[in-house]
Amino acid sequence: MEKTLSIVKPDGVRKGLIGEVIRRFENAGLRVVALRRVMLGKREAEAFYEVHKEKGFYQSLTDFMSSGPVVAMVLEGEDAIQRTRQIMGATNPKDADPGTIRADFAEEVEQNIVHGSDSPENAAIEIAFFFSQREIQ
Ligand code: IDP
Ligand code: MG
Protein backbone atom coordinates (compact mmCIF):
# COMPACT_ATOMS: atom_id res chain seq x y z
CA MET A 1 0.00 0.00 0.00
CA GLU A 2 1.36 3.38 -1.03
CA LYS A 3 1.17 6.51 1.14
CA THR A 4 1.04 10.16 0.10
CA LEU A 5 0.81 13.54 1.82
CA SER A 6 -2.07 15.84 0.98
CA ILE A 7 -2.82 19.32 2.33
CA VAL A 8 -6.02 21.34 2.27
CA LYS A 9 -4.36 24.73 1.69
CA PRO A 10 -5.40 27.94 3.53
CA ASP A 11 -7.87 28.90 0.76
CA GLY A 12 -9.54 25.49 1.00
CA VAL A 13 -9.88 25.83 4.79
CA ARG A 14 -11.24 29.42 4.42
CA LYS A 15 -13.80 28.22 1.88
CA GLY A 16 -15.02 25.45 4.19
CA LEU A 17 -13.77 22.64 1.94
CA ILE A 18 -12.00 20.39 4.47
CA GLY A 19 -14.82 17.86 4.50
CA GLU A 20 -15.39 18.04 0.73
CA VAL A 21 -11.72 17.31 -0.03
CA ILE A 22 -11.55 14.40 2.42
CA ARG A 23 -14.90 13.06 1.10
CA ARG A 24 -13.51 12.93 -2.46
CA PHE A 25 -10.40 11.05 -1.36
CA GLU A 26 -12.43 8.60 0.76
CA ASN A 27 -14.98 8.09 -2.03
CA ALA A 28 -12.08 7.03 -4.25
CA GLY A 29 -11.12 4.36 -1.72
CA LEU A 30 -8.16 6.17 -0.17
CA ARG A 31 -7.84 5.83 3.61
CA VAL A 32 -6.97 8.78 5.88
CA VAL A 33 -4.27 7.30 8.13
CA ALA A 34 -3.11 10.59 9.75
CA LEU A 35 -4.77 14.01 10.01
CA ARG A 36 -3.86 17.41 11.53
CA ARG A 37 -5.00 21.04 11.33
CA VAL A 38 -1.99 23.31 11.74
CA MET A 39 -0.79 26.84 11.02
CA LEU A 40 2.53 26.88 9.15
CA GLY A 41 4.93 29.70 9.91
CA LYS A 42 6.59 31.47 6.98
CA ARG A 43 9.86 29.58 7.61
CA GLU A 44 8.05 26.23 7.69
CA ALA A 45 6.23 27.03 4.44
CA GLU A 46 9.60 27.94 2.89
CA ALA A 47 11.09 24.64 4.06
CA PHE A 48 8.12 22.63 2.76
CA TYR A 49 8.37 24.24 -0.70
CA GLU A 50 12.19 24.39 -0.80
CA VAL A 51 12.21 22.61 -4.22
CA HIS A 52 10.57 25.76 -5.65
CA LYS A 53 12.91 28.32 -4.04
CA GLU A 54 14.31 29.51 -7.38
CA LYS A 55 10.84 30.12 -8.84
CA GLY A 56 9.39 33.60 -9.17
CA PHE A 57 6.30 32.59 -7.19
CA TYR A 58 8.20 31.23 -4.14
CA GLN A 59 7.72 34.28 -1.88
CA SER A 60 4.08 34.68 -2.80
CA LEU A 61 3.42 30.94 -2.47
CA THR A 62 5.02 30.70 0.98
CA ASP A 63 3.18 33.88 2.14
CA PHE A 64 -0.05 32.23 1.01
CA MET A 65 0.74 28.87 2.64
CA SER A 66 1.42 30.62 5.97
CA SER A 67 -1.65 32.92 5.71
CA GLY A 68 -4.00 30.62 7.64
CA PRO A 69 -4.40 27.11 8.99
CA VAL A 70 -4.01 24.10 6.72
CA VAL A 71 -5.16 20.51 7.12
CA ALA A 72 -2.43 17.96 6.44
CA MET A 73 -3.22 14.29 5.98
CA VAL A 74 -1.61 11.02 5.00
CA LEU A 75 -3.62 9.02 2.47
CA GLU A 76 -3.03 5.32 1.93
CA GLY A 77 -4.08 3.06 -0.90
CA GLU A 78 -3.01 1.42 -4.13
CA ASP A 79 -1.33 4.03 -6.36
CA ALA A 80 -2.17 6.65 -3.71
CA ILE A 81 0.24 9.25 -5.14
CA GLN A 82 -1.08 9.13 -8.71
CA ARG A 83 -4.72 8.76 -7.69
CA THR A 84 -4.56 11.67 -5.26
CA ARG A 85 -3.13 13.87 -8.00
CA GLN A 86 -5.86 12.77 -10.43
CA ILE A 87 -8.55 13.69 -7.91
CA MET A 88 -6.84 17.07 -7.33
CA GLY A 89 -6.52 17.97 -11.03
CA ALA A 90 -3.81 19.95 -12.82
CA THR A 91 -1.85 22.63 -10.93
CA ASN A 92 -3.56 25.41 -12.90
CA PRO A 93 -7.33 25.05 -12.48
CA LYS A 94 -7.74 26.31 -16.06
CA ASP A 95 -6.07 23.07 -17.21
CA ALA A 96 -7.74 20.79 -14.66
CA ASP A 97 -10.21 18.13 -15.85
CA PRO A 98 -13.88 18.74 -14.99
CA GLY A 99 -14.87 17.08 -11.74
CA THR A 100 -11.45 17.47 -10.12
CA ILE A 101 -11.07 19.44 -6.88
CA ARG A 102 -9.07 22.24 -8.52
CA ALA A 103 -11.45 22.55 -11.50
CA ASP A 104 -14.46 22.68 -9.19
CA PHE A 105 -13.16 25.03 -6.46
CA ALA A 106 -10.00 26.95 -7.50
CA GLU A 107 -9.93 30.17 -9.53
CA GLU A 108 -6.17 30.62 -9.94
CA VAL A 109 -2.89 28.71 -10.11
CA GLU A 110 -1.46 29.70 -6.71
CA GLN A 111 -4.54 29.39 -4.51
CA ASN A 112 -5.51 25.95 -5.80
CA ILE A 113 -7.09 24.42 -2.69
CA VAL A 114 -5.03 21.27 -2.32
CA HIS A 115 -1.53 19.78 -2.34
CA GLY A 116 -0.46 16.21 -3.13
CA SER A 117 3.01 14.65 -3.19
CA ASP A 118 4.39 13.99 -6.68
CA SER A 119 6.69 10.97 -6.13
CA PRO A 120 7.44 8.25 -3.55
CA GLU A 121 10.63 10.11 -2.53
CA ASN A 122 8.80 13.39 -1.94
CA ALA A 123 5.87 11.63 -0.25
CA ALA A 124 8.26 10.16 2.35
CA ILE A 125 9.88 13.57 2.96
CA GLU A 126 6.55 15.42 3.13
CA ILE A 127 4.89 12.84 5.42
CA ALA A 128 7.84 13.13 7.83
CA PHE A 129 7.53 16.95 7.70
CA PHE A 130 4.08 16.77 9.36
CA PHE A 131 3.79 13.43 11.16
CA SER A 132 5.75 11.11 13.40
CA GLN A 133 5.61 7.37 12.75
CA ARG A 134 3.23 6.71 15.70
CA GLU A 135 0.67 9.21 14.34
CA ILE A 136 0.27 7.18 11.13
CA GLN A 137 -2.07 4.23 11.63
P1 IDP B 1 1.50 20.91 -7.74
O1 IDP B 1 0.95 21.50 -6.46
O2 IDP B 1 0.39 20.60 -8.72
O3 IDP B 1 2.43 19.77 -7.51
P2 IDP B 1 3.88 22.53 -8.29
O4 IDP B 1 4.41 22.82 -9.64
O5 IDP B 1 4.62 21.57 -7.42
O6 IDP B 1 2.34 22.07 -8.45
O7 IDP B 1 3.75 23.93 -7.55
C1 IDP B 1 3.51 23.97 -6.15
C2 IDP B 1 2.47 25.02 -5.88
O8 IDP B 1 2.99 26.30 -6.25
C3 IDP B 1 1.19 24.91 -6.72
O9 IDP B 1 0.25 23.98 -6.19
C4 IDP B 1 0.67 26.32 -6.66
O10 IDP B 1 0.05 26.60 -5.40
C5 IDP B 1 1.96 27.12 -6.76
N1 IDP B 1 2.31 27.46 -8.16
C6 IDP B 1 2.74 26.63 -9.13
N2 IDP B 1 2.97 27.28 -10.29
C7 IDP B 1 2.67 28.58 -10.01
C8 IDP B 1 2.70 29.78 -10.82
O11 IDP B 1 3.05 29.77 -12.01
N3 IDP B 1 2.32 30.94 -10.20
C9 IDP B 1 1.94 30.97 -8.88
N4 IDP B 1 1.90 29.88 -8.10
C10 IDP B 1 2.25 28.69 -8.66
MG1 MG C 1 4.28 19.74 -6.57
Side-chain angles (χ1 to χ4, degrees):
M1 281 294 177
E2 191 171 66
K3 289 186 180 70
T4 190
L5 189 279
S6 180
I7 303 174
V8 183
K9 296 184 179 184
D11 59 328
V13 174
R14 278 193 283 270
K15 288 176 170 176
L17 293 171
I18 298 169
E20 176 70 23
V21 170
I22 294 174
R23 182 80 265 155
R24 288 181 181 218
F25 292 144
E26 288 191 327
N27 280 349
L30 295 162
R31 288 203 315 125
V32 179
V33 296
L35 184 68
R36 171 180 293 152
R37 184 179 187 275
V38 64
M39 177 99 186
L40 295 179
K42 172 75 169 168
R43 295 291 167 257
E44 289 173 296
E46 286 173 355
F48 184 80
Y49 276 120
E50 173 133 43
V51 291
H52 292 305
K53 67 170 180 284
E54 307 303 335
K55 307 265 172 66
F57 57 80
Y58 182 65
Q59 281 311 319
S60 167
L61 172 64
T62 53
D63 281 344
F64 162 56
M65 288 300 291
S66 57
S67 68
V70 300
V71 172
M73 70 194 87
V74 179
L75 300 169
E76 184 181 72
E78 230 167 273
D79 283 328
I81 294 170
Q82 229 7 73
R83 284 171 56 222
T84 295
R85 290 190 64 94
Q86 272 164 17
I87 295 161
M88 287 162 46
T91 307
N92 191 331
K94 290 193 191 79
D95 305 324
D97 290 338
T100 60
I101 293 168
R102 284 164 166 174
D104 287 350
F105 300 111
E107 283 97 51
E108 54 131 301
V109 63
E110 182 172 277
Q111 304 206 12
N112 59 3
I113 309 287
V114 68
H115 168 84
S117 308
D118 64 3
S119 66
E121 298 72 33
N122 287 334
I125 293 167
E126 292 177 1
I127 288 169
F129 185 92
F130 282 98
F131 297 101
S132 64
Q133 208 38 250
R134 66 179 173 79
E135 293 175 299
I136 304 166
Q137 296 298 330

Short mmCIF file of all heavy atoms in Angstrom, two decimals, residues 7 10 37-46 48-49 62-70 72 129-130:
data_model
loop_
_atom_site.label_atom_id
_atom_site.label_comp_id
_atom_site.label_asym_id
_atom_site.label_seq_id
_atom_site.Cartn_x
_atom_site.Cartn_y
_atom_site.Cartn_z
N ILE A 7 -2.52 18.17 1.47
CA ILE A 7 -2.82 19.32 2.33
C ILE A 7 -4.03 20.05 1.76
O ILE A 7 -4.06 20.36 0.56
CB ILE A 7 -1.64 20.32 2.36
CG1 ILE A 7 -0.35 19.64 2.83
CG2 ILE A 7 -1.97 21.51 3.26
CD1 ILE A 7 0.88 20.56 2.73
N PRO A 10 -4.63 26.93 2.79
CA PRO A 10 -5.40 27.94 3.53
C PRO A 10 -6.67 28.40 2.81
O PRO A 10 -7.68 28.69 3.47
CB PRO A 10 -4.40 29.09 3.69
CG PRO A 10 -3.06 28.42 3.71
CD PRO A 10 -3.19 27.28 2.72
N ARG A 37 -4.79 19.65 11.73
CA ARG A 37 -5.00 21.04 11.33
C ARG A 37 -3.91 21.86 12.00
O ARG A 37 -3.76 21.80 13.22
CB ARG A 37 -6.39 21.50 11.79
CG ARG A 37 -6.78 22.91 11.34
CD ARG A 37 -8.18 23.19 11.86
NE ARG A 37 -8.76 24.44 11.40
CZ ARG A 37 -8.56 25.63 11.95
NH1 ARG A 37 -7.75 25.74 12.99
NH2 ARG A 37 -9.16 26.69 11.47
N VAL A 38 -3.18 22.63 11.22
CA VAL A 38 -1.99 23.31 11.74
C VAL A 38 -1.74 24.60 10.97
O VAL A 38 -2.09 24.71 9.79
CB VAL A 38 -0.76 22.35 11.65
CG1 VAL A 38 -0.42 22.02 10.22
CG2 VAL A 38 0.46 22.93 12.35
N MET A 39 -1.17 25.58 11.66
CA MET A 39 -0.79 26.84 11.02
C MET A 39 0.71 26.79 10.75
O MET A 39 1.50 26.65 11.68
CB MET A 39 -1.13 27.99 11.97
CG MET A 39 -0.73 29.35 11.49
SD MET A 39 -2.14 30.21 10.76
CE MET A 39 -1.29 31.67 10.15
N LEU A 40 1.10 26.87 9.49
CA LEU A 40 2.53 26.88 9.15
C LEU A 40 3.07 28.29 9.30
O LEU A 40 2.46 29.25 8.84
CB LEU A 40 2.73 26.44 7.70
CG LEU A 40 2.35 25.01 7.33
CD1 LEU A 40 2.60 24.78 5.84
CD2 LEU A 40 3.13 24.01 8.16
N GLY A 41 4.23 28.41 9.93
CA GLY A 41 4.93 29.70 9.91
C GLY A 41 5.55 29.91 8.54
O GLY A 41 5.66 28.98 7.74
N LYS A 42 5.95 31.15 8.27
CA LYS A 42 6.59 31.47 6.98
C LYS A 42 7.81 30.58 6.74
O LYS A 42 8.01 30.05 5.64
CB LYS A 42 6.97 32.95 6.97
CG LYS A 42 7.80 33.39 5.80
CD LYS A 42 7.00 33.52 4.51
CE LYS A 42 7.87 34.25 3.45
NZ LYS A 42 7.24 34.14 2.12
N ARG A 43 8.65 30.40 7.77
CA ARG A 43 9.86 29.58 7.61
C ARG A 43 9.52 28.12 7.32
O ARG A 43 10.21 27.46 6.54
CB ARG A 43 10.75 29.66 8.87
CG ARG A 43 11.30 31.05 9.14
CD ARG A 43 12.34 31.50 8.11
NE ARG A 43 12.60 32.92 8.23
CZ ARG A 43 12.12 33.86 7.41
NH1 ARG A 43 11.35 33.53 6.37
NH2 ARG A 43 12.40 35.13 7.59
N GLU A 44 8.47 27.62 7.95
CA GLU A 44 8.05 26.23 7.69
C GLU A 44 7.52 26.08 6.27
O GLU A 44 7.81 25.09 5.59
CB GLU A 44 6.96 25.81 8.68
CG GLU A 44 7.46 25.62 10.10
CD GLU A 44 6.31 25.37 11.05
OE1 GLU A 44 5.45 26.26 11.21
OE2 GLU A 44 6.25 24.26 11.61
N ALA A 45 6.75 27.07 5.81
CA ALA A 45 6.23 27.03 4.44
C ALA A 45 7.40 27.07 3.45
O ALA A 45 7.40 26.35 2.44
CB ALA A 45 5.28 28.19 4.20
N GLU A 46 8.41 27.88 3.76
CA GLU A 46 9.60 27.94 2.89
C GLU A 46 10.31 26.60 2.85
O GLU A 46 10.75 26.14 1.80
CB GLU A 46 10.56 29.03 3.38
CG GLU A 46 10.06 30.43 3.08
CD GLU A 46 10.92 31.52 3.71
OE1 GLU A 46 11.87 31.19 4.46
OE2 GLU A 46 10.65 32.70 3.44
N PHE A 48 8.96 23.62 3.44
CA PHE A 48 8.12 22.63 2.76
C PHE A 48 8.26 22.75 1.24
O PHE A 48 8.29 21.75 0.53
CB PHE A 48 6.65 22.80 3.18
CG PHE A 48 5.76 21.75 2.58
CD1 PHE A 48 5.69 20.48 3.15
CD2 PHE A 48 5.03 22.00 1.43
CE1 PHE A 48 4.90 19.49 2.58
CE2 PHE A 48 4.24 21.01 0.86
CZ PHE A 48 4.17 19.76 1.44
N TYR A 49 8.32 24.00 0.75
CA TYR A 49 8.37 24.24 -0.70
C TYR A 49 9.78 24.58 -1.19
O TYR A 49 9.93 25.23 -2.22
CB TYR A 49 7.38 25.34 -1.09
CG TYR A 49 5.97 24.83 -1.31
CD1 TYR A 49 4.92 25.30 -0.55
CD2 TYR A 49 5.69 23.88 -2.30
CE1 TYR A 49 3.61 24.84 -0.76
CE2 TYR A 49 4.40 23.42 -2.51
CZ TYR A 49 3.37 23.90 -1.74
OH TYR A 49 2.09 23.44 -1.97
N THR A 62 4.77 31.01 -0.43
CA THR A 62 5.02 30.70 0.98
C THR A 62 4.29 31.70 1.89
O THR A 62 3.92 31.35 3.00
CB THR A 62 6.53 30.63 1.27
OG1 THR A 62 7.18 31.83 0.80
CG2 THR A 62 7.15 29.43 0.57
N ASP A 63 4.07 32.95 1.41
CA ASP A 63 3.18 33.88 2.14
C ASP A 63 1.78 33.28 2.22
O ASP A 63 1.15 33.26 3.28
CB ASP A 63 3.10 35.24 1.43
CG ASP A 63 4.31 36.12 1.69
OD1 ASP A 63 5.07 35.82 2.65
OD2 ASP A 63 4.50 37.09 0.93
N PHE A 64 1.29 32.83 1.07
CA PHE A 64 -0.05 32.23 1.01
C PHE A 64 -0.16 31.01 1.92
O PHE A 64 -1.12 30.89 2.71
CB PHE A 64 -0.38 31.86 -0.45
CG PHE A 64 -1.49 30.86 -0.60
CD1 PHE A 64 -2.75 31.09 -0.06
CD2 PHE A 64 -1.28 29.68 -1.30
CE1 PHE A 64 -3.77 30.16 -0.20
CE2 PHE A 64 -2.30 28.75 -1.45
CZ PHE A 64 -3.55 28.99 -0.89
N MET A 65 0.82 30.12 1.86
CA MET A 65 0.74 28.87 2.64
C MET A 65 0.84 29.11 4.14
O MET A 65 0.46 28.24 4.93
CB MET A 65 1.82 27.88 2.18
CG MET A 65 1.56 27.27 0.82
SD MET A 65 0.00 26.32 0.72
CE MET A 65 0.40 24.90 1.77
N SER A 66 1.35 30.29 4.54
CA SER A 66 1.42 30.62 5.97
C SER A 66 0.36 31.66 6.35
O SER A 66 0.42 32.26 7.42
CB SER A 66 2.83 31.11 6.33
OG SER A 66 3.20 32.23 5.54
N SER A 67 -0.63 31.86 5.48
CA SER A 67 -1.65 32.92 5.71
C SER A 67 -2.83 32.44 6.55
O SER A 67 -3.69 33.24 6.92
CB SER A 67 -2.18 33.43 4.37
OG SER A 67 -2.94 32.43 3.71
N GLY A 68 -2.89 31.16 6.85
CA GLY A 68 -4.00 30.62 7.64
C GLY A 68 -3.77 29.14 7.87
O GLY A 68 -2.84 28.56 7.29
N PRO A 69 -4.60 28.53 8.71
CA PRO A 69 -4.40 27.11 8.99
C PRO A 69 -4.58 26.23 7.74
O PRO A 69 -5.31 26.59 6.83
CB PRO A 69 -5.46 26.78 10.04
CG PRO A 69 -6.40 27.92 10.05
CD PRO A 69 -5.71 29.10 9.47
N VAL A 70 -3.87 25.12 7.76
CA VAL A 70 -4.01 24.10 6.72
C VAL A 70 -4.41 22.79 7.39
O VAL A 70 -4.30 22.67 8.62
CB VAL A 70 -2.69 23.88 5.93
CG1 VAL A 70 -2.23 25.17 5.26
CG2 VAL A 70 -1.58 23.31 6.83
N ALA A 72 -3.35 18.93 7.06
CA ALA A 72 -2.43 17.96 6.44
C ALA A 72 -2.94 16.56 6.73
O ALA A 72 -3.49 16.30 7.81
CB ALA A 72 -1.03 18.13 7.00
N PHE A 129 7.59 15.52 7.36
CA PHE A 129 7.53 16.95 7.70
C PHE A 129 6.39 17.20 8.69
O PHE A 129 6.50 18.02 9.60
CB PHE A 129 7.31 17.76 6.41
CG PHE A 129 7.34 19.25 6.59
CD1 PHE A 129 8.52 19.97 6.44
CD2 PHE A 129 6.17 19.94 6.90
CE1 PHE A 129 8.54 21.35 6.59
CE2 PHE A 129 6.18 21.33 7.06
CZ PHE A 129 7.38 22.03 6.90
N PHE A 130 5.27 16.49 8.54
CA PHE A 130 4.08 16.77 9.36
C PHE A 130 3.83 15.75 10.46
O PHE A 130 3.21 16.08 11.47
CB PHE A 130 2.83 16.81 8.48
CG PHE A 130 2.66 18.08 7.71
CD1 PHE A 130 3.05 18.17 6.37
CD2 PHE A 130 2.13 19.21 8.31
CE1 PHE A 130 2.91 19.35 5.66
CE2 PHE A 130 1.97 20.40 7.62
CZ PHE A 130 2.36 20.47 6.29
#
